[in-house]
Amino acid sequence: MRSKSTIPKKKGKSSFSKIIAWLHLWPSIVSGIILVFVCLTGTIIVYCDEIFDYTAGESKYVEVPQNHKYATYDEIVNGVKIYNPEIKVSEYVFFKDPKRSIRMRAFIPKERKLIMLYMNPYTAEIIKQDNTIHFFFVMAHLHSSLLAGKIGGWIVAISTIVFVISTITGLVLWWPKKWTKTTRKASFTIKWKAKFKRFNYDLHNVYGFYSMLLCLVLSITGLMIFFNPFMNFTIKVSGGDLSHLEKSLPKADSTKVSKDLVPFAYKVLDKEFPDKKMVRIWESANRKNGAYLFTSGKVGLKSIENADISIFDRYTGEKINVNEKLIKHESVENVVWQLHMGQWFGQIGKLSTFLAGIVATSLPITGFLIWWGRRKKKPKTV
């Protein structure tokens, strides 16, 4: 019989393992509620563009007159004033399909409400005011700043950094010490018929692994959007100029007469990029610049899929070519927003982002339940 002194001692966790476990657990416990809230509101936003299309209903389409003559920009502006002089339009979206109405993002200052307007492109009559976008406007601000300004933004940013740390340390903890048939099965599959503790552990462990890459992408792009130096670094590394494209354009000149912007919008769709179905122009840029800046592609709430830029001198109608580095700047920012909003690779990107958002929302909850279940675990007796 061995003496007690000859019995080998069981090796405890290494200092590295303890640090990883602490970094994975405690910061997440502290910021857990914020993380759940941020992930949930972000997940809700993913399908906003599809919901806008659904709630627009029949107002998306109009009858095409025989003369096929589009309303001018002045007629469009006047049409909005007739409908409601308080409305301030921020974005116009024109469609290649002649049956499609003009979509306008607008704001009512007195009501502090964001709305979507649908206008007949031939008569300049408002077909419908859709208030659905205001819900997503609120969700977006809850997601980015908890509706608490800069302080809320910093709380969200710090919580996001915690989430990034938790994701990386989670991968370290997930990684089996030895790859065997048993460890592979435990690491990649869920025991659906197991008891709640094991089932909850599998949800956290397995789904956390599968969604890890997308969770990191969503978190890092969110940090890029919040931290300007991070975004600027990304733009610079990608070969872009740190100046915004709009700053390089000529300023508006009140002594000159502008050409109607509507023909230019359809020129972009018909001749510049005939494969594109819609084109956007911001009203704020339209007021300040001596040029019309159009972005064609699939226009979403915060980004444009397959985006291309076209610029025309608003007084001469000539096309303006700008430094490619300025275009790269806009492209990088747009891609960051695409990745953050799930607007990449069509519906596959949307679904992947939505599912990753659901998992990300659940991770602080399942992780807390794991910790709570182990909290009262009795020490083993020899």
Side-chain angles (χ1 to χ4, degrees):
M1 185 176 178
R2 291 183 183 180
S3 65
K4 289 184 180 180
S5 59
T6 61
I7 298 175
K9 291 182 180 180
K10 188 177 180 180
K11 290 184 180 180
K13 289 184 178 180
S14 65
S15 297
F16 175 76
S17 296
K18 288 179 181 178
I19 292 170
I20 292 295
W22 189 93
L23 287 172
H24 185 72
L25 174 63
W26 290 109
S28 297
I29 291 289
V30 173
S31 61
I33 294 176
I34 300 296
L35 286 172
V36 169
F37 187 78
V38 170
C39 293
L40 178 60
T41 50
T43 304
I44 290 171
I45 297 168
V46 172
Y47 278 108
C48 63
D49 298 322
E50 287 74 12
I51 293 172
F52 295 154
D53 270 352
Y54 175 77
T55 57
E58 293 300 316
S59 64
K60 292 185 295 182
Y61 301 98
V62 299
E63 288 187 12
V64 182
Q66 288 184 346
N67 62 11
H68 204 279
K69 185 181 178 182
Y70 289 110
T72 65
Y73 172 70
D74 289 339
E75 289 171 338
I76 290 171
V77 172
N78 190 53
V80 174
K81 285 182 179 179
I82 291 171
Y83 177 75
N84 185 346
E86 299 295 328
I87 289 176
K88 306 294 182 184
V89 176
S90 58
E91 175 195 58
Y92 297 95
V93 178
F94 299 89
F95 292 82
K96 185 180 180 68
D97 184 350
K99 294 180 181 179
R100 287 297 299 267
S101 56
I102 301 171
R103 190 180 79 195
M104 292 177 276
R105 191 189 310 194
F107 193 71
I108 306 177
K110 284 186 178 180
E111 300 178 28
R112 297 183 62 81
K113 180 187 289 185
L114 192 67
I115 62 172
M116 203 82 89
L117 294 176
Y118 294 88
M119 173 183 277
N120 188 311
Y122 306 102
T123 65
E125 293 178 315
I126 298 296
I127 305 168
K128 181 178 181 178
Q129 174 182 321
D130 188 0
N131 300 328
T132 308
I133 191 174
H134 187 72
F135 169 78
F136 291 100
F137 173 74
V138 174
M139 285 296 109
H141 282 78
L142 285 171
H143 175 71
S144 62
S145 64
L146 310 176
L147 282 177
K150 289 184 178 180
I151 294 174
W154 274 102
I155 292 171
V156 171
I158 292 168
S159 298
T160 304
I161 292 170
V162 168
F163 188 74
V164 171
I165 294 170
S166 297
T167 303
I168 296 170
T169 53
L171 176 63
V172 175
L173 294 173
W174 169 88
W175 199 274
K177 291 180 180 179
K178 291 183 180 180
W179 286 101
T180 64
K181 184 178 180 180
T182 302
T183 58
R184 281 197 299 271
K185 187 176 181 181
S187 300
F188 293 108
T189 61
I190 294 174
K191 289 186 177 180
W192 295 99
K193 295 182 180 180
K195 291 183 179 180
F196 176 77
K197 280 188 177 181
R198 177 54 195 247
F199 177 67
N200 180 71
Y201 177 82
D202 282 350
L203 287 177
H204 187 82
N205 202 38
V206 178
Y207 281 158
F209 170 75
Y210 286 133
S211 65
M212 177 196 64
L213 182 59
L214 269 178
C215 285
L216 281 174
V217 168
L218 292 170
S219 300
I220 292 170
T221 52
L223 292 172
M224 284 182 185
I225 292 165
F226 181 79
F227 291 109
N228 285 330
F230 192 7
M231 178 70 86
N232 288 340
F233 172 77
T234 307
I235 291 168
K236 197 71 177 175
V237 169
S238 302
D241 195 293
L242 295 184
S243 298
H244 280 278
L245 174 58
E246 281 188 36
K247 291 183 178 180
S248 71
L249 299 179
K251 301 299 179 184
D253 187 345
S254 59
T255 64
K256 296 180 180 179
V257 178
S258 299
K259 290 183 176 293
D260 183 18
L261 75 77
V262 174
F264 289 98
Y266 290 106
K267 180 181 179 180
V268 170
L269 295 171
D270 294 334
K271 296 180 180 180
E272 292 275 319
F273 300 102
D275 59 320
K276 303 298 173 64
K277 295 181 179 180
M278 57 184 88
V279 64
R280 176 190 76 186
I281 185 168
W282 288 108
E283 175 61 18
S284 58
N286 185 37
R287 288 196 304 270
K288 294 186 296 183
N289 298 330
Y292 293 135
L293 174 59
F294 294 98
T295 309
S296 55
K298 188 174 181 181
V299 182
L301 180 67
K302 298 294 290 186
S303 61
I304 298 182
E305 193 171 352
N306 299 320
D308 280 297
I309 292 173
S310 302
I311 309 169
F312 302 93
D313 187 300
R314 69 185 298 162
Y315 308 112
T316 66
E318 294 179 1
K319 188 168 183 183
I320 296 176
N321 295 312
V322 297
N323 192 312
E324 281 299 319
K325 288 187 176 183
L326 295 171
I327 300 292
K328 176 65 73 173
H329 178 133
E330 303 300 320
S331 176
V332 170
E333 281 195 346
N334 184 63
V335 168
V336 169
W337 274 106
Q338 276 187 266
L339 291 171
H340 196 67
M341 296 292 292
Q343 197 186 18
W344 50 271
F345 210 61
Q347 289 303 312
I348 292 175
K350 287 268 183 170
L351 180 60
S352 300
T353 303
F354 181 76
L355 294 176
I358 291 174
V359 174
T361 304
S362 72
L363 288 175
I365 298 170
T366 54
F368 175 80
L369 292 175
I370 291 170
W371 169 75
W372 188 262
R374 292 175 174 176
R375 194 174 57 93
K376 296 180 180 180
K377 191 174 181 180
K378 295 180 181 179
K380 291 182 179 179
T381 55
V382 180

